[in-house]
Amino acid sequence: MKVLIALFCRPLFCRSLFCRSVFCRSVFCRSVFCRPVFCRPVFSLLMLATLWLGGLTLSASNAFADRRPNILWISVEDISSNLGCYGDPHAVTPNLDRLASEGVRFTRAFTPAGVCAVVRSGIITGLYPPAIGSQHMRSRIIPPSDVRAFPERLRAAGYFTTNRSKTDYQFDPTDSIWDLQGDGHNDWRDRPDPDQPFFSVINFTQCHESQIRHSDAQHRKVIQQIGAENQHDPAVVADTIPAFLPRTPATQKDWARYQDNITLVDQLAGEVLDRLQEDGLADNTLVVFWSDHGMGLPRGKRWIYDTGTLVPVIMRWPDRMGAGEVRSDLISVLDLPPTMLKVAGVPVPRNMHGRLIVDDQGDEASDEPPYLFFHRDRMDEVYELQRAARDRRWKYIRNFEPDKPYSQRLDYMDEMPTMQDWRRLHAAGELTGGQKNWFAETKPIEELYDTENDPWELTNLALRPQYAERLARMRQATERWQRQIADTGMIPESVLMEEMKPGGVTPKTDPPSIRRDGKQVSIQSSGDGVSIVYQVFDNGKWSDWKLYSRSFPSDGRVRCKATRLGYRDSDIVDLKI
């Protein structure tokens, strides 16, 4: 135990310039001495990452109030703002363009990281992933006990919650989060009471990175769906390929397919919006369209440059948010969870990191932050460690492992034809300028970009003396943010996971207790961070899992279990007649 405590009680930032410790994460020494900023065990570190979390709403109103809005999320994967409403000259996106004309388009909306599961872990909890240990791609974490998935709070308040169908939260979803999860349902149309407000998430995967490099036969099916007249010509769209990518036939083909896939997603989004209109629900539904990170191409997805984190976000709420409005303030997708809770009249937990984009009247609700923050950690088999800050114009990046090149090989990324051409041209010595930068043998310790004049972030200004003050200010802001969230990225992943799951074993939630007094059924569980779900046996079958919030009448069979994020569910406890 003393050895473990010694490991954890180490500096978050080593102040010694010449320190050779494996824990040394900073070269910005102001002293020859190593001064610890944090010294506490991992569990204390994790608890600092989240403040006190208010309890779930204990009961929902028996009568659903008409004034509570419905909420519909249309989420997509791996796209930047390559939509017509964002000014892309080749975009064929009439449905999303119309949505923007009827609502608010955000021009500075960002994800905190550049990869799907990591970002989704932040969105479902409302917390920066390094605050809960979910920053490494493809990990199975246990969030702190005071962290809950925000849809569960909506569900506890009487909302009917559905998800179709991606989760990918870096922990398994529990049955307490969604009334309906998966592909076998009809979203809001399956709610038992047509007056019940709903929160429905519909996620489209057709624009995922893997769908750019799919077979020609598969892509012909895409063209059949969108129509040959809407297919993008690789030669025509080549003028908008990011400057850092090589202009090869393979790159042009990938870029055209990326645009085709966005057109397909636009068509599918239009069908969802049409269903909402057909059901007479459009006027009382807040619609949010967003992408989980930027374009699924090299130096886009997985990276914290704007190509990996600047995403389209459109919100429509008739009579509450102005039609055709454009907002240029900084927002993060981490702002979505607290905003949805506020809109629904549900208390916002104080530990959430996002701000309110709008309030329950549709007005801008809280001040724009001076900076948004970003992180890049292990990506599949590739270890990396970057932190970043951005204001409306400037981007600061800190490379904690500058000895590693940008261009580390990553199997999944390297399947992309564009990536293969890029590596081939580098090996042949045929790259110049910004296309060559990515293959430098090492990275600079710091990067600073003027995104207004350098949107592809190719000219690093960090060493230019005229920017020294700005560099120092953004460096300090980044380190202050790391301290505020208790950045678990400073802890070796193996150590962090051993604290969460000693011996690699996922713990199991203790079973709840259930009793019946007359016809009233009560369920209790004493575990921290635990939610209870139950089923009733009716008409010869078990119901879907229901979220337990208070006792309920039943004279038939009832069974229940306890759940907690990151844990295995408890055994099922059956209350028989």
Side-chain angles (χ1 to χ4, degrees):
M1 178 60 71
K2 290 181 179 179
V3 173
L4 284 176
I5 292 176
L7 277 174
F8 301 147
C9 294
R10 54 140 174 83
L12 178 61
F13 297 110
C14 179
R15 301 296 182 175
S16 173
L17 177 62
F18 303 106
C19 177
R20 298 301 181 193
S21 165
V22 294
F23 298 128
C24 179
R25 299 299 189 190
S26 176
V27 298
F28 302 108
C29 177
R30 297 297 180 265
S31 166
V32 294
F33 299 104
C34 178
R35 299 192 302 262
V37 176
F38 290 127
C39 185
R40 51 185 62 99
V42 168
F43 275 139
S44 296
L45 192 67
L46 288 171
M47 293 307 293
L48 276 176
T50 53
L51 301 175
W52 175 82
L53 185 65
L56 288 174
T57 302
L58 293 181
S59 63
S61 172
N62 289 328
F64 300 116
D66 290 339
R67 66 179 178 275
R68 292 202 293 176
N70 306 307
I71 303 170
L72 169 64
W73 279 12
I74 301 175
S75 63
V76 298
E77 306 197 17
D78 301 18
I79 74 169
S80 297
S81 300
N82 296 105
L83 309 177
C85 56
Y86 280 90
D88 188 294
H90 306 301
V92 183
T93 52
N95 296 294
L96 294 173
D97 297 347
R98 184 175 68 252
L99 183 68
S101 72
E102 297 168 347
V104 177
R105 175 170 58 89
F106 295 85
T107 61
R108 289 188 177 92
F110 293 87
T111 58
V115 71
C116 54
V118 173
V119 173
R120 290 174 184 275
S121 73
I123 292 176
I124 199 67
T125 61
L127 297 163
Y128 275 108
I132 61 174
S134 62
Q135 66 272 14
H136 298 294
M137 182 61 176
R138 297 289 167 240
S139 56
R140 304 311 268 177
I141 71 151
I142 297 177
S145 62
D146 57 355
V147 174
R148 294 182 188 269
F150 85 91
E152 183 177 328
R153 299 181 181 278
L154 292 171
R155 191 180 182 190
Y159 272 72
F160 185 74
T161 62
T162 71
N163 184 56
R164 183 158 58 88
S165 63
K166 188 167 185 175
T167 51
D168 214 13
Y169 304 142
Q170 304 274 59
F171 50 80
D172 290 331
T174 64
D175 289 316
S176 63
I177 303 175
W178 306 105
D179 284 289
L180 297 175
Q181 158 61 30
D183 291 319
H185 61 84
N186 297 297
D187 312 304
W188 65 85
R189 287 182 170 176
D190 285 347
R191 64 196 194 281
D193 183 342
D195 292 327
Q196 183 178 7
F198 63 81
F199 172 54
S200 287
V201 179
I202 299 174
N203 183 78
F204 293 121
T205 62
Q206 287 80 359
C207 47
H208 186 266
E209 169 189 16
S210 59
Q211 303 308 299
I212 296 174
R213 52 177 168 77
H214 59 195
S215 68
D216 290 342
Q218 287 177 297
H219 201 69
R220 282 193 292 270
K221 295 178 181 179
V222 172
I223 302 307
Q224 289 174 357
Q225 289 180 271
I226 67 174
E229 68 278 9
N230 293 322
Q231 183 175 7
H232 293 80
D233 185 330
V236 173
V237 301
D239 62 345
T240 56
I241 292 175
F244 51 81
L245 292 176
R247 298 298 194 275
T248 68
T251 302
Q252 294 179 10
K253 182 179 179 180
D254 287 346
W255 189 247
R257 284 188 171 186
Y258 166 70
Q259 297 269 5
D260 290 342
N261 293 341
I262 292 175
T263 297
L264 175 57
V265 163
D266 175 85
Q267 179 178 306
L268 297 173
E271 293 171 0
V272 173
L273 295 171
D274 287 345
R275 277 201 292 139
L276 193 70
Q277 187 69 42
E278 291 168 6
D279 292 351
L281 298 169
D283 288 344
N284 191 39
T285 301
L286 169 59
V287 177
V288 184
F289 172 85
W290 57 276
S291 175
D292 62 355
H293 53 75
M295 63 180 69
L297 287 160
R299 202 180 178 269
K301 182 175 182 176
R302 301 179 184 87
W303 291 90
I304 52 177
Y305 297 112
D306 283 6
T307 43
T309 58
L310 179 61
V311 295
V313 171
I314 302 170
M315 300 176 69
R316 185 189 72 184
W317 194 5
D319 300 326
R320 299 293 183 93
M321 302 180 73
E325 183 181 342
V326 178
R327 278 178 52 175
S328 58
D329 52 318
L330 293 169
I331 73 162
S332 167
V333 293
L334 297 184
D335 299 335
L336 294 177
T339 299
M340 300 306 107
L341 294 175
K342 179 66 175 179
V343 162
V346 178
V348 178
R350 290 185 288 178
N351 70 334
M352 282 189 170
H353 290 143
R355 69 178 177 113
L356 301 180
I357 303 174
V358 297
D359 62 14
D360 52 4
Q361 299 302 311
D363 299 321
E364 188 171 346
S366 57
D367 293 336
E368 177 183 8
Y371 301 107
L372 296 179
F373 298 98
F374 307 86
H375 64 95
R376 171 176 159 86
D377 300 87
R378 180 176 58 75
M379 293 291 163
D380 298 329
E381 72 271 24
V382 171
Y383 271 94
E384 183 60 277
L385 185 57
Q386 294 177 310
R387 297 294 181 262
R390 194 194 196 283
D391 61 19
R392 287 195 178 196
R393 177 175 175 178
W394 297 87
K395 168 76 71 62
Y396 167 80
I397 298 175
R398 172 63 205 276
N399 292 305
F400 288 95
E401 297 181 343
D403 55 312
K404 295 180 178 178
Y406 298 106
S407 57
Q408 294 185 78
R409 291 189 177 275
L410 194 155
D411 289 346
Y412 196 80
M413 177 184 71
D414 282 4
E415 293 181 29
M416 186 68 68
T418 292
M419 188 69 253
Q420 294 168 6
D421 270 12
W422 205 4
R423 292 196 186 280
R424 175 180 57 79
L425 291 172
H426 167 65
E430 298 179 13
L431 297 176
T432 60
Q435 296 177 6
K436 184 179 180 180
N437 293 350
W438 202 61
F439 291 93
E441 292 184 2
T442 61
K443 298 188 291 290
I445 293 169
E446 293 180 298
E447 302 174 46
L448 181 68
Y449 299 101
D450 177 359
T451 65
E452 185 175 295
N453 295 306
D454 180 20
W456 302 123
E457 296 166 274
L458 297 174
T459 303
N460 183 11
L461 305 174
L463 296 180
R464 299 190 184 184
Q466 62 266 42
Y467 301 112
E469 183 179 344
R470 180 178 302 280
L471 185 73
R473 187 165 60 247
M474 298 186 79
R475 175 195 307 143
Q476 292 164 7
T478 301
E479 293 189 356
R480 183 166 56 249
W481 166 72
Q482 288 184 272
R483 291 192 293 270
Q484 288 171 346
I485 70 164
D487 186 351
T488 62
M490 300 297 106
I491 302 170
E493 183 181 10
S494 59
V495 176
L496 183 63
M497 292 307 299
E498 179 63 22
E499 275 293 305
M500 291 184 185
K501 300 180 178 182
V505 177
T506 301
K508 187 174 182 177
T509 312
D510 291 332
S513 60
I514 184 170
R515 56 178 293 184
R516 180 184 281 119
D517 293 321
K519 291 187 177 182
Q520 203 71 11
V521 176
S522 299
I523 313 174
Q524 291 183 332
S525 177
S526 59
D528 291 336
V530 170
S531 299
I532 299 171
V533 293
Y534 69 95
Q535 294 175 309
V536 296
F537 194 76
D538 189 29
N539 294 323
K541 63 178 181 179
W542 289 104
S543 68
D544 293 325
W545 288 106
K546 303 175 184 294
L547 179 64
Y548 178 81
S549 57
R550 60 179 178 179
S551 63
F552 58 93
S554 175
D555 56 4
R557 287 185 64 189
V558 178
R559 64 184 184 183
C560 63
K561 64 180 178 178
T563 70
R564 179 182 161 179
L565 299 182
Y567 276 52
R568 292 179 292 144
D569 290 350
S570 76
D571 293 333
I572 293 176
V573 179
D574 200 338
L575 179 66
K576 300 181 179 180
I577 300 174

